[in-house]
């Protein structure tokens, strides 16, 4: 059994909050480049260039790439041979979020749903913990902006809706979202499981590097077909027209109940932020 002091987790979460908000992944920058090669709208092209420039400034000056620095969503893969010492895991993560948002000058965006009073330190974080084999802890911090999260949905399709039903709903969701989620977007799709698991699958699918293939060939084809149709909608970068409405569609799927067909669409804006560390 390996002992890990939760203070290390606080330090990592603090750093990951700042890093995720200021340093856009190389895979996203490369996806911008690929989109620029295809974008026919002059305005769309200009916006894509500005998004790259924005990412460069954010990284070099270590400032947030967007004013909405998001809800701190934290994925923890906890090795079953790890014994956490020195405190409570949840509180250690919250403390890392507090410090990261304070020290990184990141906007605190979390409030009471009724009074809208700000909690003041961007906590609580949303924590998804999974027990895995091994003696390591993997932490991924994925700040999620409100604009794109607001456009996300879970729907319980009927089994007879089939793959065509998925295509119809995803396309309709992107179309209705328009410019609200700050396109170009990444469309995370969760299929199967239960109501809540479908939503988690959709969110987890966003962690896959852009430009990578889905290991399931059938889903890979579905991702390609959906992306092709989405980019015919003409919404374009920032909703001002063009063919780059989305950079990618990512799908995760699992079995579901014989009577159910859950589908979740988690839309991610171009500020595709996530960073990870292994302790
Ligand atoms: S949707 Fe994304 S890019 Fe738009 S304001 Fe929110 S975090 Fe920023």
């Amino acid at each position: 059994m390996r002992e890990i002091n939760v203070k290390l987790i606080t330090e990592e979460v603090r750093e990951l909050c700042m890093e995720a908000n200021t340093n856009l992944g190389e895979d996203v920058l490369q996806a911008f480049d690929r989109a620029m090669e295809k974008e026919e709208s002059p305005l769309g092209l200009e916006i894509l260039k500005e998004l790259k420039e924005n990412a460069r400034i954010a990284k070099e000056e270590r400032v947030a790439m967007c004013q909405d620095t998001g809800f701190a969503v934290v994925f923890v893969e906890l090795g079953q041979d790890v014994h956490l010492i020195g405190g409570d895991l949840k509180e250690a993560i919250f403390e890392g979020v507090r410090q990261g948002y304070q020290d990184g000058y990141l906007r605190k965006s979390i409030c009471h749903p009724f009074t809208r009073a700000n909690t003041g330190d961007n906590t609580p974080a949303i924590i998804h913990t999974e027990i895995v084999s091994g003696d390591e802890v993997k932490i991924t911090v994925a700040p999620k902006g409100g604009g794109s999260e607001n456009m996300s949905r879970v729907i319980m399709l009927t089994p007879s809706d089939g793959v065509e039903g998925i295509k119809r709903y995803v396309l309709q969701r992107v179309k209705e979202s328009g410019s609200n989620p700050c396109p170009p977007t990444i469309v995370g799709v969760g299929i199967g499981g239960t109501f809540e698991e479908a939503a988690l699958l959709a969110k987890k699918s966003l962690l896959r590097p852009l430009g990578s293939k889905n290991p399931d060939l059938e889903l890979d084809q579905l991702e390609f077909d959906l992306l092709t149709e989405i980019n015919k909608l003409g919404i374009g970068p920032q909703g001002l027209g063009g063919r780059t409405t989305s950079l990618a569609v990512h799908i995760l799927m699992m079995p579901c109940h014989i009577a159910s067909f859950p589908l979740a669409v988690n839309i991610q804006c171009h500020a595709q932020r996530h960073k990870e560390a292994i302790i």
Side-chain angles (χ1 to χ4, degrees):
M1 189 66 81
R2 179 177 165 223
E3 288 195 342
I4 294 178
N5 194 304
V6 293
K7 276 188 187 152
L8 273 180
I9 291 176
T10 295
E11 287 167 15
E12 287 293 356
V13 170
R14 172 188 179 274
E15 186 55 34
L16 291 171
C17 287
M18 294 192 277
E19 188 66 10
N21 270 295
T22 56
N23 188 1
L24 200 56
E26 196 55 39
D27 60 327
V28 188
L29 297 175
Q30 286 172 7
F32 287 159
D33 288 338
R34 287 194 296 275
M36 280 192 266
E37 283 169 17
K38 292 184 189 164
E39 185 53 72
E40 290 160 352
S41 152
L43 188 52
L45 193 58
E46 195 52 40
I47 291 167
L48 289 168
K49 282 184 193 161
E50 284 184 13
L51 292 180
K52 269 200 85 173
E53 176 65 358
N54 181 64
R56 183 191 66 77
I57 295 169
K59 184 179 179 184
E60 285 181 13
E61 300 188 12
R62 199 136 165 104
V63 292
M65 68 188 75
C66 178
Q67 41 79 33
D68 182 354
T69 52
F71 215 126
V73 180
V74 182
F75 294 92
V76 180
E77 288 179 29
L78 181 61
Q80 64 186 13
D81 296 326
V82 170
H83 177 208
L84 294 173
I85 58 169
D88 176 73
L89 173 63
K90 187 170 94 171
E91 186 44 45
I93 291 172
F94 282 13
E95 183 57 23
V97 170
R98 265 181 215 113
Q99 292 181 15
Y101 275 71
Q102 184 64 29
D103 299 347
Y105 302 100
L106 306 174
R107 192 185 80 184
K108 290 94 178 175
S109 309
I110 308 308
C111 69
H112 186 286
F114 294 168
T115 66
R116 313 308 290 180
N118 200 299
T119 63
D121 58 8
N122 223 55
T123 68
I126 299 292
I127 306 172
H128 301 292
T129 310
E130 193 181 345
I131 308 293
V132 298
S133 60
D135 62 357
E136 293 177 331
V137 182
K138 181 177 173 188
I139 303 166
T140 304
V141 174
K144 190 68 167 72
S148 57
E149 194 74 345
N150 288 348
M151 296 299 108
S152 304
R153 301 284 188 277
V154 177
I155 182 170
M156 304 303 278
L157 297 175
T158 59
S160 62
D161 284 323
V163 176
E164 285 310 310
I166 293 172
K167 286 184 179 172
R168 260 197 314 275
Y169 188 77
V170 173
L171 212 58
Q172 177 195 332
R173 186 83 298 274
V174 174
K175 193 174 176 183
E176 287 176 4
S177 298
S179 63
N180 291 316
C182 298
T185 56
I186 297 96
V187 182
V189 179
I191 303 170
T194 52
F195 180 83
E196 81 280 11
E197 191 65 27
L200 190 52
L201 288 173
K203 179 140 291 173
K204 275 186 180 170
S205 77
L206 297 171
L207 301 178
R208 204 179 96 211
L210 293 185
S212 63
K213 288 184 85 62
N214 193 314
D216 181 321
L217 291 185
E218 193 181 3
L219 295 184
D220 195 62
Q221 183 63 46
L222 184 54
E223 289 180 358
F224 176 81
D225 293 346
L226 278 168
L227 184 62
T228 305
E229 290 307 310
I230 286 169
N231 283 335
K232 286 181 190 166
L233 291 174
I235 296 168
Q238 293 298 299
L240 295 172
R243 48 187 297 172
T244 320
T245 298
S246 293
L247 298 169
V249 175
H250 285 180
I251 305 175
L252 278 175
M253 183 167 78
M254 69 179 294
C256 58
H257 189 279
I258 51 171
S260 302
F261 193 10
L263 171 67
V265 181
N266 195 192
I267 296 190
Q268 169 65 49
C269 59
H270 63 79
Q272 161 66 325
R273 300 164 287 198
H274 56 89
K275 294 288 176 201
E276 61 185 50
I278 295 175
I279 300 173

